[in-house]
Amino acid sequence: MTGTADVDADEGSQAPLGDPSEGPDQVDPADAEHPEPHEEAEHQGPHEGEYVPPTGDDLAVDEPLLAARAHRPSDLIRLLAGLLGIIALFLVARFAVSTTSGLENDISTNAHRIPGVLSTVAALVSSVAVLAVPLAFAVERLIKRDGLRVADGVLASVLAYGVSLGVDWWVAAGAPSAIREALTQLPPDGGQTLTDPVHGYLAPVIAYMTAVGMSSRPRWRVALWVVVILSGMTELVSGYTTLLSLILTVLIGWSVAYGTLYAIGSPNIRPTGNHLMIGLRKVGFSPAGAHRAPDAPGGTRRYYVEQQDGPPLDVHIIDREQQASGFFYRAWRRLRLRSVAVRRSPQSLRQALEQEALIAYAAAASGARAPQLVATSELGPDAAILVYEQVPGRTLDELPEEEITDQVMASLWESVGRLHERRIAHRRLTGESLLVVDDVTGCLVNLSGGDIAAGDLTLRIDIAQLLTTFALRIGPERAVATANAVLGADRVAASLPLLQPVGLSRQTRIDLSRLGKERKAAAQALALEQVASGERTQQQAEEDIATAGEDLLSRIRGQILQIAPEAPLEPAKLERLRPKALIMVIALAFAAYLALTTIKPAQLRLSHMNWAWAAAALAAAALTYIAASMSLTGFVPERLPFRRTVAAQVAGSFVKLVAPAAIGGIALNTRYLQKAGIRSGQAVASVGASQLAGLAGHLLLLFGFGLITGSQTSGDLGASRAVIIGVLTAAVMALVVAAVGPLRRFVVTRVRSLFFGVVPRMLDLMQTPRKLVTGFGGIILLTLSFTACLDASIQAFGGSMSFSAVAVVFLTANAAGSAIPTPGGIGPVELALVGALTFSGLPPTVATPAVFLYRALTFWLPVIPGWISYNMLQRRGAL
C-alpha cells in the first residue's frame, strides 16, 4: 500500500524503539524488533507491529507508508538452503547405505547404556513441554498484541504438518528401499508398522518457532530448542526414530517456515520517519521536519531533514532488508567476475556502517567534492543512519542534455582524479551518483559502494564507467575530450581495455543495449524511406545501417585511439567464468540426461534392426551437413571455404541443444558469415535469403510429393493420409498466424525486415547462376537426405512406405513439431513423427523405434562432433 502520512515525533521523547512503558534499560530485544502500537495513535491506522511514539510538539515526516508486509530475500535464501539440505539428505540415504546403517547400529548399541528411568522421565517432560512452551509463548505475544506473528507461526505449523504427511506417504509408497530403510525402522515393542519418516508433531513445532521469529528472543529460543532436542533424543534412544529422520524433520520444519514467510511476507520492521527523528535527537540534532528523497543505489532510503537551528541534512538509512536485496545478482557477479571487478559486500550491518563512514571521511580528506558526513548512529537493532550535509542540485540523469556543460564534466573529472590520487575508487559513477550543483560545479554522491586502497585495475574501471556515463548523454567525442583535458591522455588511454559491458554497472549495460537498438531501428526506418524515394542506393543504405549499428563502446575506443594511438587494445580479463562455458557445461549435462532418459534400448529394438538399412540411414544423415553447407554458400556471393562451412553446420548440432533448431541455426550461420568477413547487414540478408528459399522449397516439395503420393494410392485412403496431414497442417498454421494479432505482427515485421536486404541480395546472386543452382540444389538435397534417413530407419525395422509418403510425413510432422520452441524440438518432433507415421498406416511397433533411430542419427549422435567443431571454430576465430 502506498500513500502519504504525517508521522508525528515528540520533541522531548528519548524512548527507545520498544514498548513505551519500559525504560531504556528494560527494553526487550523482541519488542525492539517488533514494537507495539501506541493506543493514542490508533486513529492514524498504523500497521500491526509499528511503534508510534507519544505526541507532543508535533514534527511532520512526509513519507510513503511502508507496506505492512515485506518479502525478504533472506527468507528465500534460507528456503533454498533448506531444500538443498533435504535433497542432500535423500542422496546420502540413497547412496551412503553403509554409513547410515553403521550410525543406526552405533546408536542402538549405546542406547541400552542409558538408565530406563532417565529415559522415561525425559520422554514425559519433553512430551508436555514441546506443546506447553509454544503455547505459553503464543499467550505472551498475544498479551503484547503481536498476534500477526502468532498467526504466521500457526499457518507455518499447519503447512509443515501437511508436508510431513506427504513425505511419509512418499517414503512408504514410492521411495527407493534404501531411503525407506534409512528413515524408518520397526519399533522396539515388536510392532510390524514402520516408524514415521517425519515426526508429525516436531516438524510443526519447529516451523512455528521459526516463523514467529524467535531468533531475536534468546530466552524463548533456547527453551524451545532444548525441548525439541530433548524430545528428539528420547525418540532416538527409545528406537522410535532414526538420526536421518530427525534431521529431515528439522529441515522440513525450517524450510516450510521460511517458505511461508516469503510467500505471505513478514511483518515490516523497517524503521520509519518517526524512528529517524528520535535517532537524530540522540546524536544532538534538532529536526524540524523531513520528507523522503529518492533512494540511493542499492535501495538505501534517504530523507531530507530540515533543522530548527542548523543546515539541512541528507540522512541515509541502511538496514538488514536493504542489505539482503539483490543477493542473487551479487552472487552471480562474484562467481562470474574476478575479485578486482566486484566489490566485496559487508557481512554485517556494523561493517556496512563503518565502511560507508570510512569512505566518506577519506573522500573529504582527498579534496574531492562530496557531501560531508557529520554523524552516524544505530537506529534500533536492525538499522543505522548516516547523516550528511545536504548538497542542493540535480543529478546528471535529471539534467537536460543542453545543460550538461564541459565545465560541469571537468569539475566531476577533477573530483574523480583527486579520489584516485588517494587510491579511492567510487565504483558507482552512473548518472544518479553525479550531482550538478550549478553551471560549473559537480559533486560526487553515493560513495557507499567505494573502496579504499584500490588497485590500478579498479581505478581504471572507474574511468571507463564515467566515460560511458557521459557518452550516453552527450556523445563519445565530448566525453573523451573532457576526460583528456583533465586527466591526460595516458590515464584515459589506460581505461580502453576496461571498456567492456561486463565491467560496467547494470543500468549502464541496459542503457547501452537500449541505445543500440534505438539507433539501429531509426537507421533502418530512414534507410527504407530513402531507398523507396530513390535518395540512396541499397548499398549506401546498408552502409548507413552498419555505421549506426556500431556500439557506443566501440565509438569511445575510436575517440581514445585518436588522442592516444598507442593505447592498449587487448581487453582486460575481468571474467573468471564465461557464460558460454557455463552454457556449454549445462548443455552437455542436459544432453546426457535426455539421452539416458529419452533413448531407451527397449524402444530401439536393436535385436530386430537391419544393420544394412541402419548404415544407409547413417550415410543419409551425414549427407545432410553437406547439403546444408550448399544451401548456405549458394546464397552468399562471396567465396566461403567449404570444409569450414561444413564444420559450422556440424557445430549447429551442438547449438540445437540450448536453442530451438531454427533459431540456433540462424544465429550460428549469421555469426559464421560475420566472422568470415561479410558485413552484418549482408550476412543477415544471406541467411534470410537461404531461409526464405528453404521455405519456398519446403512448400513446393510438399506439394509435389503430395501429388505423387495421391497418384500412387489408387483410391487407397490409408496411403493418402499423409497428404491429408500435410494439407491440414499447412492450413492450421496459416490460420493461427493470421488469427493471432501479436503473432501476425511478429511474422509481418520479420518478413519485412528480411525482404529489405534479401531482395537486393537475390538480385546480386542472379548474376552468378552457379550460386543459385548450388543454393537451391542444397535445399532439395537437404530435404531428400532427411527423408532418405527416415525411410531407411523405417526399412531397418521391417516397415514399408513409399518414399513420397515418407517425404510428406517428414515435411509436415517435422515442421509441426519444430513449431514448439523446445531445444532441438526434443519431444514435439518425436511425437509428431510417430503420430504421423502411425496415422499413415505404419504399425506403432515399427514407427516408434524407427523415429528413435532417425532422431539418434540426426540429433543425438552429432552432438559430440558438433561440440568439437564448435570449439575448434571458436579457437580459430570462425565463430
Side-chain angles (χ1 to χ4, degrees):
M1 180 177 68
T2 59
T4 302
D6 290 334
V7 184
D8 298 329
D10 178 33
E11 286 186 356
S13 173
Q14 297 295 326
L17 306 181
D19 191 337
S21 64
E22 298 181 359
D25 299 329
Q26 299 172 328
V27 180
D28 186 354
D31 298 328
E33 181 178 355
H34 310 293
E36 311 291 342
H38 194 276
E39 293 181 3
E40 296 179 5
E42 288 184 355
H43 65 280
Q44 300 229 5
H47 59 74
E48 187 168 359
E50 175 184 324
Y51 167 60
V52 179
T55 58
D57 297 329
D58 293 343
L59 296 176
V61 180
D62 184 22
E63 63 174 341
L65 290 175
L66 295 178
R69 287 182 174 270
H71 299 276
R72 299 178 180 174
S74 57
D75 291 337
L76 178 59
I77 295 169
R78 293 186 178 101
L79 168 63
L80 295 177
L83 294 177
L84 290 176
I86 293 172
I87 294 172
L89 184 140
F90 282 136
L91 291 176
V92 169
R94 174 65 179 84
F95 297 105
V97 178
S98 300
T99 302
T100 56
S101 60
L103 285 173
E104 296 304 324
N105 291 334
D106 292 342
I107 292 173
S108 178
T109 301
N110 293 299
H112 296 293
R113 301 178 181 178
I114 300 176
V117 176
L118 181 60
S119 299
T120 302
V121 172
L124 179 61
V125 172
S126 62
S127 61
V128 175
V130 79
L131 298 177
V133 173
L135 182 60
F137 177 78
V139 172
E140 188 263 350
R141 285 290 92 195
L142 290 174
I143 292 174
K144 292 192 174 183
R145 293 185 297 175
D146 193 12
L148 195 60
R149 282 284 187 179
V150 176
D152 293 344
V154 172
L155 176 60
S157 64
V158 172
L159 293 177
Y161 183 73
V163 172
S164 301
L165 293 179
V167 173
D168 288 346
W169 173 82
W170 174 75
V171 171
S177 58
I179 294 180
R180 189 180 304 111
E181 292 172 1
L183 298 177
T184 62
Q185 63 184 10
L186 291 174
D189 57 8
Q192 298 301 312
T193 303
L194 294 174
T195 58
D196 292 334
V198 182
H199 287 268
Y201 65 90
L202 277 185
V205 169
I206 294 171
Y208 172 83
M209 61 183 285
T210 304
V212 296
M214 286 193 173
S215 59
S216 59
R217 301 169 174 87
R219 294 188 296 273
W220 284 104
R221 184 180 70 245
V222 170
L224 196 50
W225 270 114
V226 167
V227 170
V228 169
I229 293 173
L230 183 62
S231 177
M233 293 302 296
T234 54
E235 292 286 323
L236 185 65
V237 170
S238 61
Y240 285 94
T241 189
T242 66
L243 180 60
L244 291 185
S245 175
L246 283 177
I247 298 175
L248 179 62
T249 300
V250 174
L251 289 174
I252 287 178
W254 199 65
S255 302
V256 170
Y258 284 115
T260 303
L261 291 177
Y262 186 74
I264 66 175
S266 302
N268 201 335
I269 59 172
R270 303 185 76 177
T272 56
N274 56 317
H275 297 153
L276 171 63
M277 304 299 259
I278 295 172
L280 288 175
R281 290 194 188 90
K282 287 184 177 181
V283 290
F285 294 100
S286 54
H291 67 275
R292 277 286 295 273
D295 288 349
T300 300
R301 286 185 295 151
R302 297 171 58 217
Y303 289 82
Y304 290 151
V305 178
E306 297 292 336
Q307 295 194 82
Q308 296 177 0
D309 53 358
L313 304 174
D314 183 2
V315 183
H316 295 198
I317 298 181
I318 55 176
D319 53 45
R320 299 191 191 279
E321 298 287 338
Q322 172 253 325
Q323 274 192 299
S325 63
F327 170 81
F328 295 104
Y329 174 75
R330 293 197 302 270
W332 163 243
R333 293 280 289 180
R334 290 198 62 80
L335 176 65
R336 180 183 178 185
L337 302 181
R338 295 168 57 196
S339 57
V340 292
V342 183
R343 172 180 172 270
R344 184 178 297 276
S345 300
Q347 300 299 315
S348 67
L349 187 66
R350 166 63 66 176
Q351 289 180 355
L353 176 65
E354 293 174 349
Q355 179 171 296
E356 183 170 348
L358 179 60
I359 293 292
Y361 290 136
S366 71
R369 296 183 183 90
Q372 181 71 36
L373 179 66
V374 295
T376 62
S377 176
E378 290 187 345
L379 195 64
D382 295 315
I385 57 173
L386 295 102
V387 184
Y388 293 89
E389 290 183 354
Q390 184 179 335
V391 179
R394 290 177 294 172
T395 65
L396 190 72
D397 289 341
E398 299 170 340
L399 210 63
E401 183 176 328
E402 59 272 12
E403 296 185 25
I404 305 176
T405 64
D406 290 348
Q407 293 85 349
V408 168
M409 291 190 293
S411 173
L412 292 168
W413 277 118
E414 289 172 0
S415 294
V416 171
R418 289 169 182 165
L419 289 180
H420 288 186
E421 289 173 0
R422 299 295 181 90
R423 314 301 295 180
I424 303 171
H426 189 289
R427 283 192 177 273
R428 283 177 176 169
L429 290 171
T430 57
E432 61 183 345
S433 299
L434 307 174
L435 190 68
V436 179
V437 180
D438 52 39
D439 293 339
V440 296
T441 308
C443 179
L444 301 178
V445 296
N446 300 326
L447 282 90
S448 59
D451 280 336
I452 60 171
D456 289 338
L457 192 63
T458 306
L459 301 180
R460 290 158 60 197
I461 291 176
D462 256 7
I463 297 176
Q465 174 65 63
L466 189 54
L467 277 172
T468 308
T469 299
F470 283 142
L472 282 167
R473 296 299 313 277
I474 47 89
E477 296 81 7
R478 286 180 60 194
V480 174
T482 310
N484 180 44
V486 176
L487 300 182
D490 292 341
R491 293 176 67 180
V492 175
S495 69
L496 191 146
L498 282 306
L499 284 167
Q500 41 185 308
V502 70
L504 304 176
S505 70
R506 182 197 296 190
Q507 186 59 48
T508 302
R509 296 196 300 272
I510 295 173
D511 292 340
L512 286 172
S513 177
R514 175 186 51 78
L515 179 65
K517 292 178 181 177
E518 290 176 354
R519 284 174 54 87
K520 188 173 182 180
Q524 287 179 340
L526 180 62
L528 284 171
E529 295 177 0
Q530 291 177 337
V531 171
S533 62
E535 297 178 18
R536 298 184 72 80
T537 64
Q538 181 66 39
Q539 183 175 359
Q540 291 174 331
E542 290 181 358
E543 291 176 355
D544 293 343
I545 294 174
T547 303
E550 184 181 13
D551 66 279
L552 181 63
L553 295 182
S554 298
R555 295 162 60 201
I556 298 175
R557 295 187 195 101
Q559 292 297 316
I560 293 176
L561 289 174
Q562 289 184 14
I563 64 172
E566 72 284 355
L569 296 175
E570 182 74 19
K573 294 182 178 180
L574 299 178
E575 294 178 285
R576 65 159 60 98
L577 176 65
R578 293 183 177 272
K580 289 182 179 179
L582 184 61
I583 292 174
M584 189 174 298
V585 171
I586 295 174
L588 288 175
F590 186 62
Y593 170 77
L594 289 177
L596 293 174
T597 57
T598 304
I599 302 177
K600 300 179 181 179
Q603 292 175 322
L604 286 177
R605 297 174 59 201
L606 297 179
S607 60
H608 299 82
M609 186 172 65
N610 186 316
W611 289 96
W613 279 110
L618 177 62
L623 187 60
T624 60
Y625 297 100
I626 297 176
S629 302
M630 293 172 58
S631 67
L632 178 62
T633 56
F635 293 95
V636 181
E638 294 80 4
R639 182 178 178 83
L640 295 175
F642 191 73
R643 290 185 179 179
R644 184 171 291 183
T645 306
V646 173
Q649 305 311 305
V650 176
S653 301
F654 174 72
V655 176
K656 292 177 185 178
L657 283 173
V658 292
I663 297 175
I666 291 173
L668 184 136
N669 285 331
T670 303
R671 179 71 172 172
Y672 170 69
L673 294 181
Q674 290 174 341
K675 287 292 187 178
I678 300 172
R679 287 184 304 180
S680 177
Q682 294 179 343
V684 173
S686 293
V687 175
S690 175
Q691 293 294 315
L692 288 176
L695 176 61
H698 188 100
L699 295 176
L700 289 175
L701 288 172
L702 177 61
F703 180 74
F705 281 118
L707 291 179
I708 296 173
T709 303
S711 64
Q712 290 177 346
T713 58
S714 302
D716 184 2
L717 181 61
S720 64
R721 287 174 176 170
V723 181
I724 300 174
I725 294 173
V727 174
L728 291 177
T729 301
V732 169
M733 292 179 67
L735 288 174
V736 168
V737 171
V740 180
L743 184 60
R744 181 178 64 252
R745 288 189 292 271
F746 174 80
V747 172
V748 170
T749 302
R750 293 292 180 182
V751 171
R752 182 183 300 168
S753 62
L754 282 175
F755 269 102
F756 172 72
V758 166
V759 173
R761 202 67 166 162
M762 293 295 293
L763 293 176
D764 293 340
L765 289 169
M766 287 182 180
Q767 301 175 9
T768 54
R770 183 173 57 85
K771 282 282 187 179
L772 288 177
V773 171
T774 301
F776 283 103
I779 290 172
I780 296 173
L781 180 60
L782 183 64
T783 301
L784 294 179
S785 299
F786 276 120
T787 303
C789 181
L790 181 58
D791 183 62
S793 300
I794 294 172
Q795 300 284 350
F797 292 98
S800 178
M801 288 181 66
S802 65
F803 188 84
S804 59
V806 175
V808 172
V809 168
F810 165 74
L811 291 169
T812 55
N814 190 70
S818 299
I820 301 176
T822 60
I826 299 171
V829 169
E830 287 84 356
L831 291 175
L833 286 173
V834 171
L837 289 174
T838 304
F839 188 74
S840 300
L842 200 67
T845 55
V846 175
T848 301
V851 169
F852 274 101
L853 176 61
Y854 164 77
R855 289 288 282 172
L857 296 176
T858 59
F859 183 80
W860 294 109
L861 187 61
V863 167
I864 299 301
W867 176 72
I868 295 173
S869 298
Y870 186 85
N871 282 276
M872 179 191 70
L873 292 174
Q874 275 201 324
R875 286 195 300 270
R876 296 181 179 180
L879 275 183

